[in-house]
Amino acid sequence: MKQILLSILFISITSIIYAQNSKLQGTVTDADNGQPIPFANIYLPQLEKGTNTDENGTYILENVPKGNYKIVVSTIGYKTFSQAISVDNNSTHNWTLQPSAIEMDEVIVSTPFHKLQSENVMKVERQSLEQLKTKGAMTLSDGITNISGVESVTTGVGIGKPVIRGLSSNRVLVYTQGIRLENQQFGGEHGLGINQAGIESVEVIKGPASLLYGSDALGGVLYLNPEKYAQQNKTEGDANINYFTNTNGVTANAGFKASGDKIKFLVRGAYGSHADYEAGNGIYTTNSRFNEYDIKSGFGYQDSKFKTDVRYNYNRSNLGIPEEIGVQNRDRDLLLPYQEIDNHIISAKNTLFFNNSSLDVTLGYIANNRREYEDHHHHEDEHADEDHEEDEHEHAEEGEEHEHGDEAALDMRLHTLSYNVLYHIPKMGNFETIIGVQGMHQTNENFGEEMLIPDATTVDFGVMATTHYHMEKSDIQLGLRYDTRTIDGKETGEMGGESYFPEFDKNFNSFNASAGYRATIAEKIIARINFATGFRAPNLAELASNGNHSGANRFEIGNVDLTNEQNFQTDVSLEYENKHFEFFINGFYNAISDYIYLEPTGDEIDGQPVYQYVQNDSRLYGGEVGLHLHPHPFDWLHFESSFETVTGKLDDTDEYLPLIPANKLTNTFRVEMKDGALTKKYAFLTLQNVFNQNNVGTFETRTGGYSLVNIGLGATINPWNQPLSIKLTANNLLDKEYISHLSRLKPDGIYNIGRNINIGLSVPF
């Protein structure tokens, strides 16, 4: 398998087909007055290539392969324009844009046909990281909760994992650098392991995306788009620093990128450090401290018939695991227990262009090393262990940190090799069709004294086909896919020992299909309806767990007899848009057969309650509704409101599912101005109302509602002709005491973070 994939990578990089270069040029003007539009963005999504118009509204894009592409023309203050074009040796295309106060429409990358957000058959939410950063988020998992329908299961502020319409863990697939992220994400105390620096935007597919991505996309996909390279023949750089008052936290990152005619590269480094967070009651949450190092780099090459994008990301996260309220200080050295996590992510996205078709070959490799340090893992006799635990307890009360040279109790190493080969066949009339194969080879190994799951090998293989039929005012998209997954569990540990895992061999397979229809009604209304099935094979933890999870405060036992989860979801959405008003309503019904969840057995091991994985049919339903008003002539004033709700139940007992987010209403007043001595000025006031969550699982406790006030402002100034972007954000301005229903610290009565003021500075150069 590895030899085949390495051969594909070698061939795709070295088999560069030289051909005559083509040039695309033209002008962009205002549709109302015919004036040229300077600095408009010209972008070819399939090539990931673009440029800007000059002061006269003129653009030139060199070295474009001959063929048929979609071009996207966009700039602030105008409605985004897209159209299919044909590029020959020298092609001239002139465009006119309609003025509009609505935010720019963006190209969706997570779905295969790269349509604009408004043109896509599937409903996909997209947010730029620039937008999320203005709201004062400390981490990426915190930032994505600003997207309607997306929440986060958290352990403190440093550990969080996405929840899409009530589904989380391995039901939500995360993609980064174009490959699936694998980092032992089954655990409640495991976060994303991705730093927000060097991420350009986030896309969220709400609902089953197994057709596109296979197993683990049953509940949806969080797709992280890396930052783009500099535009052709340009060099860019920037430095950014943020301070957070609540945790005495500091984050900083700097990047540099340059592009020539064919070769381009970038590099970005980031660092963050936080002390324990302070809750609204004035108490520090002991050992919620964390720090992070991150470096991202990329190398790109594009000829007239071939392009490649090779990326590398290294991330080291050191995460304290809060368990109880103890020492109260501002130290940053981690207390026990804590995790050290190393993530190496390598990806290579390659495309070969033919006359009327193209072949995409994406290869990925991830090495994840997760180490957990506890207070009872030394290889000593029983009495020595007891003495050691007493010493550690005394040190914790005195605020002393753990010695990092000790051996990790848990040492789990995950290696994942993945491939995704897609062939865009020549267009036949209005049909665009893609066929492809995807797969993954994964090994898990244990090197620590304790083990939660056995050594194992997982192999995935899938084959898919999807087609898009375009009509004048509507589109239809259909797809079919078949997947297999094999999990080979090795005999691990000593028979009769505390951590013993017998050998097992499991095979899973599934057919899945999707059908969607999008129509433009009366020019301003877009209606969508999508039907899709999805599946998820049980993961290694669900099949074979046998150990204590510190962050979740429970002992988990797997069930080797688990079968596939299989679901069928219906999504309906309606959007209305004019120059000064937008409205949307989304609804879904999701029926999941053999839903896997943890259920307490009533027993205890080492003082921790024992939970075992079981299955039952379930259903989830709900949706989102929202509006955006920017009245004429006050286009600088924006009012945004959104409401989201989800309900999850087990079919047999009609009991509620655990970890379902509470209903939430968010209202935001925002001011944006772009003229005068300051440019890109903005200010906002947000009131977030989270309602009581009384619909709780059998072994959950209800959570009371709460209201949070967030404010922020920012501007870009130009002293000495050097742009400087400054922002100031205050989250939980009133220092509210509250506990989120999705906080894993809720059973211990530990509050969420209190008032947090973020001061940020960004300097481009």
Side-chain angles (χ1 to χ4, degrees):
M1 175 71 72
K2 292 183 179 179
Q3 288 80 2
I4 294 174
L5 294 176
L6 290 173
S7 297
I8 295 175
L9 177 62
F10 177 77
I11 293 171
S12 62
I13 293 179
T14 57
S15 300
I16 301 172
I17 305 172
Y18 292 96
Q20 183 179 358
N21 294 338
S22 302
K23 182 168 65 175
L24 178 64
Q25 59 188 354
T27 59
V28 179
T29 56
D30 187 304
D32 288 352
N33 55 33
Q35 293 296 311
I37 300 177
F39 314 118
N41 183 259
I42 313 295
Y43 188 61
L44 301 174
Q46 189 176 352
L47 301 179
E48 298 179 358
K49 188 180 183 72
T51 188
N52 288 332
T53 57
D54 60 19
E55 292 83 353
N56 301 314
T58 300
Y59 71 91
I60 299 177
L61 198 57
E62 304 277 1
N63 194 36
V64 180
K66 296 180 183 178
N68 299 315
Y69 306 101
K70 169 164 287 189
I71 191 169
V72 178
V73 186
S74 61
T75 191
I76 295 175
Y78 292 86
K79 186 174 182 179
T80 300
F81 175 83
S82 72
Q83 183 173 306
I85 63 170
S86 178
V87 177
D88 206 338
N89 288 340
N90 290 292
S91 300
T92 299
H93 292 278
N94 301 319
W95 313 107
T96 59
L97 298 183
Q98 294 285 345
S100 174
I102 296 173
E103 278 78 2
M104 292 187 298
D105 204 357
E106 300 286 351
V107 175
I108 297 300
V109 179
S110 56
T111 54
F113 296 103
H114 291 183
K115 303 291 183 182
L116 285 178
Q117 200 167 12
S118 59
E119 300 171 338
N120 215 51
V121 174
M122 296 177 66
K123 176 67 175 179
V124 180
E125 301 286 349
R126 184 190 182 280
Q127 282 272 358
S128 72
L129 257 291
E130 191 63 34
Q131 293 172 309
L132 297 181
K133 288 176 184 176
T134 63
K135 298 175 182 178
M138 281 197 292
T139 64
L140 180 60
S141 59
D142 182 24
I144 62 176
T145 62
N146 291 292
I147 301 174
S148 182
V150 181
E151 299 296 334
S152 181
V153 176
T154 62
T155 305
V157 294
I159 302 174
K161 57 190 333 101
V163 179
I164 298 178
R165 288 178 169 175
L167 296 177
S168 59
S169 191
N170 280 84
R171 297 181 184 92
V172 173
L173 186 61
V174 178
Y175 254 61
T176 181
Q177 298 176 196
I179 63 174
R180 58 184 294 155
L181 178 64
E182 293 289 321
N183 64 349
Q184 304 283 12
Q185 62 267 30
F186 63 84
E189 67 276 26
H190 300 175
L192 284 175
I194 297 289
N195 190 281
Q196 63 184 5
I199 303 293
E200 182 180 89
S201 63
V202 177
E203 296 176 15
V204 179
I205 301 177
K206 302 175 185 176
S210 292
L211 172 74
L212 305 177
Y213 299 107
S215 180
D216 299 351
L218 176 143
V221 174
L222 179 68
Y223 198 98
L224 308 177
N225 292 312
E227 67 175 303
K228 295 176 182 176
Y229 292 99
Q231 293 186 352
Q232 189 170 308
N233 295 318
K234 289 189 177 181
T235 299
E236 302 173 14
D238 62 88
N240 310 271
I241 188 167
N242 285 271
Y243 174 70
F244 301 88
T245 60
N246 187 285
T247 61
N248 279 345
V250 177
T251 64
N253 74 85
F256 176 80
K257 50 188 175 181
S259 295
D261 289 331
K262 295 184 178 181
I263 294 176
K264 47 194 174 182
F265 74 93
L266 60 80
V267 63
R268 181 170 299 277
Y271 171 75
S273 176
H274 296 266
D276 293 340
Y277 77 82
E278 182 180 4
N281 58 1
I283 296 176
Y284 298 127
T285 301
T286 308
N287 208 28
S288 59
R289 58 198 69 177
F290 64 99
N291 58 74
E292 185 177 20
Y293 307 84
D294 188 89
I295 186 167
K296 294 182 175 72
S297 60
F299 171 82
Y301 175 89
Q302 181 167 320
D303 194 75
S304 58
K305 286 294 183 178
F306 171 81
K307 76 178 180 73
T308 186
D309 181 8
V310 179
R311 304 255 182 169
Y312 170 69
N313 179 201
Y314 169 70
N315 181 276
R316 158 63 73 88
S317 298
N318 302 311
L319 305 164
I321 302 176
E323 293 186 310
E324 60 185 5
I325 299 299
V327 296
Q328 298 289 292
N329 59 39
R330 300 273 75 188
D331 290 349
R332 297 172 186 270
D333 294 310
L334 303 180
L335 304 174
L336 293 168
Y338 70 90
Q339 292 183 349
E340 290 181 345
I341 305 166
D342 289 318
N343 245 3
H344 298 268
I345 304 174
I346 304 172
S347 64
K349 296 177 63 178
N350 311 286
T351 302
L352 285 168
F353 297 100
F354 309 109
N355 287 335
N356 295 303
S357 62
S358 63
L359 177 69
D360 297 330
V361 180
T362 302
L363 303 176
Y365 173 73
I366 298 178
N368 174 261
N369 187 3
R370 184 177 298 273
R371 299 172 299 278
E372 185 170 305
Y373 295 86
E374 302 174 1
D375 58 358
H376 57 275
H377 59 268
H378 290 267
H379 296 282
E380 302 171 3
D381 61 40
E382 181 179 350
H383 296 293
D385 283 343
E386 291 175 359
D387 292 340
H388 177 72
E389 289 180 19
E390 292 177 1
D391 290 342
E392 290 287 1
H393 181 69
E394 292 175 2
H395 291 169
E397 289 187 346
E398 295 170 6
E400 295 182 19
E401 71 275 10
H402 176 58
E403 292 296 331
H404 289 235
D406 289 342
E407 179 185 356
L410 287 171
D411 189 346
M412 308 164 67
R413 302 179 191 179
L414 190 72
H415 297 268
T416 306
L417 189 65
S418 62
Y419 60 92
N420 183 7
V421 181
L422 299 177
Y423 179 58
H424 300 249
I425 70 174
K427 290 186 66 174
M428 294 178 289
N430 289 337
F431 280 100
E432 294 179 68
T433 303
I434 298 173
I435 58 175
V437 294
Q438 296 171 327
M440 176 183 76
H441 184 276
Q442 183 177 89
T443 59
N444 179 75
E445 296 178 285
N446 290 279
F447 294 89
E449 180 181 350
E450 298 179 9
M451 289 175 282
L452 299 178
I453 56 177
D455 296 348
T457 300
T458 301
V459 178
D460 283 3
F461 176 77
V463 57
M464 57 86 73
T466 181
T467 189
H468 182 280
Y469 182 73
H470 176 70
M471 294 170 280
E472 184 177 354
K473 292 187 177 182
S474 61
D475 299 86
I476 296 173
Q477 188 170 320
L478 305 170
L480 185 66
R481 181 183 178 112
Y482 174 73
D483 284 275
T484 65
R485 168 170 285 187
T486 300
I487 302 179
D488 180 16
K490 315 295 184 184
E491 184 178 20
T492 309
E494 296 182 5
M495 185 176 296
E498 182 178 341
S499 296
Y500 173 72
F501 303 89
E503 182 181 7
F504 71 91
D505 188 6
K506 299 287 291 186
N507 294 281
F508 306 95
N509 60 79
S510 179
F511 278 101
N512 288 283
S514 70
Y517 177 71
R518 174 204 168 277
T520 301
I521 305 170
E523 295 187 358
K524 298 184 184 299
I525 300 175
I526 297 175
R528 294 181 176 92
I529 183 168
N530 281 273
F531 304 95
T533 66
F535 92 105
R536 185 179 73 89
N539 62 47
L540 189 57
E542 293 164 337
L543 293 169
S545 276
N546 185 27
N548 180 48
H549 289 246
S550 297
N553 297 320
R554 62 182 177 231
F555 193 100
E556 297 182 6
I557 297 178
N559 182 351
V560 76
D561 296 323
L562 296 175
T563 60
N564 274 351
E565 289 183 340
Q566 191 77 43
N567 77 330
F568 178 79
Q569 180 165 317
T570 301
D571 280 278
V572 179
S573 70
L574 195 67
E575 302 171 31
Y576 172 81
E577 175 186 301
N578 63 29
K579 285 186 177 182
H580 302 285
F581 180 75
E582 299 170 76
F583 173 81
F584 71 87
I585 182 168
N586 310 319
F588 74 95
Y589 185 88
N590 187 5
I592 306 178
S593 301
D594 296 315
Y595 180 88
I596 300 171
Y597 60 101
L598 279 166
E599 185 174 74
T601 65
D603 299 326
E604 287 190 359
I605 296 178
D606 295 332
Q608 296 289 353
V610 176
Y611 283 68
Q612 185 167 23
Y613 287 97
V614 296
Q615 287 188 296
N616 201 337
D617 293 346
S618 67
R619 62 191 185 277
L620 295 97
Y621 51 89
E624 306 87 35
V625 59
L627 61 87
H628 180 187
L629 175 66
H630 31 88
H632 184 75
F634 307 108
D635 293 338
W636 47 267
L637 177 63
H638 299 256
F639 172 69
E640 300 174 32
S641 180
S642 66
F643 175 76
E644 57 190 79
T645 179
V646 59
T647 300
K649 288 187 173 184
L650 296 171
D651 283 351
D652 290 349
T653 62
D654 209 38
E655 297 172 350
Y656 290 101
L657 296 178
L659 290 177
I660 299 297
N663 296 343
K664 185 171 74 174
L665 173 65
T666 304
N667 293 295
T668 299
F669 285 95
R670 182 160 49 92
V671 174
E672 291 183 349
M673 294 184 177
K674 307 177 183 68
D675 54 1
L678 302 177
T679 60
K680 296 182 181 179
K681 297 172 292 186
Y682 72 87
F684 70 86
L685 169 66
T686 296
L687 176 62
Q688 187 179 92
N689 299 104
V690 179
F691 296 86
N692 295 337
Q693 180 53 294
N694 298 316
N695 301 334
V696 297
T698 305
F699 305 100
E700 280 187 310
T701 57
R702 67 171 296 278
T703 309
Y706 52 89
S707 298
L708 303 178
V709 177
N710 306 324
I711 62 171
L713 55 89
T716 299
I717 59 178
N718 289 279
W720 311 288
N721 293 321
Q722 171 60 59
L724 299 175
S725 295
I726 304 171
K727 67 173 181 176
L728 176 66
T729 305
N731 289 335
N732 192 4
L733 179 67
L734 303 181
D735 210 20
K736 178 76 174 179
E737 297 180 26
Y738 73 99
I739 297 179
S740 166
H741 189 68
L742 298 185
S743 170
R744 293 198 178 273
L745 303 180
K746 181 179 69 169
D748 299 312
I750 298 176
Y751 290 101
N752 285 71
I753 190 170
R755 182 189 300 113
N756 187 29
I757 299 174
N758 169 218
I759 304 169
L761 175 66
S762 179
V763 183
F765 53 85

